[in-house]
Amino acid sequence: MCGRFALTLPTEAMAQLFGATPSNDLPPIPNFNICPTTQVAVVTADGHGRRLRPMRWGFLPHWYKSPTDGPLLINARAETLADKPAFRAACRTRRCLIPATGFYEWTKDADGSRLPWYIAASDGAPTVFAGIWQDWEQADTMLTTCAIVTTAANSHMARIHHRMPLSLEAKDWPLWLGEAGKGAAQLMHPAPNSRFTYYRVDPQVNSNRASGPGLIAPLAA
């Protein structure tokens, strides 16, 4: 799964990377501790090109009466994406890209304490998660929301968690966004073992209030 991530790429650099027009209300960057229900930067595409826009991380099905009316859907399993009532329409027509610098996972020690790990691309490049999105509206409230698609972990990542975000290479972005026609399902598989590296970081990131670049620094021996 993916429960927290970091993004340090400036807005102008993201817009250039994706060939997208940025909105003027994107969330502040850098953010080393992006948590569920906060605004994240997301790339969508339509007949007028790509847009870099803000969305609430936490997908809201249309039948939710309020943002807290059901489980917090920050991840969507690739294996059941096309079948789950909450996700199947978005899977067909509302796919997106969610940029990140890296993300966090946790293991536990013998005493049950949570040990955080930071995972990033082995080559230092930005990571791009596959996502889905949906507009949600009730009464006078309208939110645009998203979830990160996840797969079973590859053997490298399985040492720390059994799930991982679905990450996409640049050549796959047009297919996931629907710009290159149908067939996005063929992209829903774990990344190769070589794509990510990971290391322990300070437990201060266990708090969703923690901030700053020290969160992604390797834990001192």
Side-chain angles (χ1 to χ4, degrees):
M1 63 174 294
C2 179
R4 302 258 201 97
F5 64 98
L7 179 62
T8 64
L9 198 64
T11 296
E12 296 79 7
M14 283 194 289
Q16 183 175 7
L17 176 66
F18 294 106
T21 301
S23 298
N24 58 12
D25 55 350
L26 289 163
I29 298 169
N31 187 340
F32 297 90
N33 193 8
I34 298 173
C35 302
T37 74
T38 61
Q39 295 286 300
V40 297
V42 173
V43 178
T44 60
D46 56 29
H48 303 288
R50 294 179 181 177
R51 292 176 56 199
L52 181 64
R53 48 192 294 211
M55 293 188 187
R56 175 193 187 265
W57 182 22
F59 191 96
L60 295 178
H62 65 84
W63 60 81
Y64 276 27
K65 300 302 183 186
S66 75
T68 58
D69 196 34
L72 181 60
L73 304 176
I74 61 172
N75 295 154
R77 296 172 68 95
E79 297 89 340
T80 57
L81 192 61
D83 302 318
K84 291 286 187 181
F87 302 135
R88 60 192 177 200
C91 175
R92 291 193 298 268
T93 61
R94 293 187 301 279
R95 297 187 298 271
C96 61
L97 305 174
I98 303 175
T101 303
F103 62 101
Y104 301 95
E105 288 295 356
W106 281 261
T107 56
K108 290 185 178 181
D109 62 16
D111 297 324
S113 298
R114 299 179 75 222
L115 308 177
W117 299 76
Y118 183 67
I119 302 103
S122 300
D123 61 3
T127 296
V128 178
F129 302 144
I132 54 173
W133 68 276
Q134 176 161 285
D135 287 329
W136 175 87
E137 187 171 6
Q138 288 290 335
D140 296 327
T141 302
M142 203 280 279
L143 298 171
T144 302
T145 69
C146 65
I148 294 170
V149 178
T150 66
T151 69
N154 59 37
S155 59
H156 178 60
M157 287 292 298
R159 300 170 188 170
I160 57 174
H161 202 278
H162 67 284
R163 303 290 298 176
M164 65 185 297
L166 172 57
S167 66
L168 300 174
E169 297 182 84
K171 64 181 179 60
D172 298 324
W173 299 346
L175 187 55
W176 186 258
L177 289 173
E179 299 166 327
K182 298 181 179 180
Q186 66 186 282
L187 303 176
M188 292 194 281
H189 53 76
N193 285 347
S194 59
R195 184 170 300 175
F196 291 112
T197 186
Y198 53 81
Y199 53 82
R200 282 281 315 282
V201 291
D202 195 283
Q204 64 178 319
V205 76
N206 291 355
S207 169
N208 59 14
R209 297 182 180 179
S211 62
L215 298 181
I216 65 171
L219 188 65

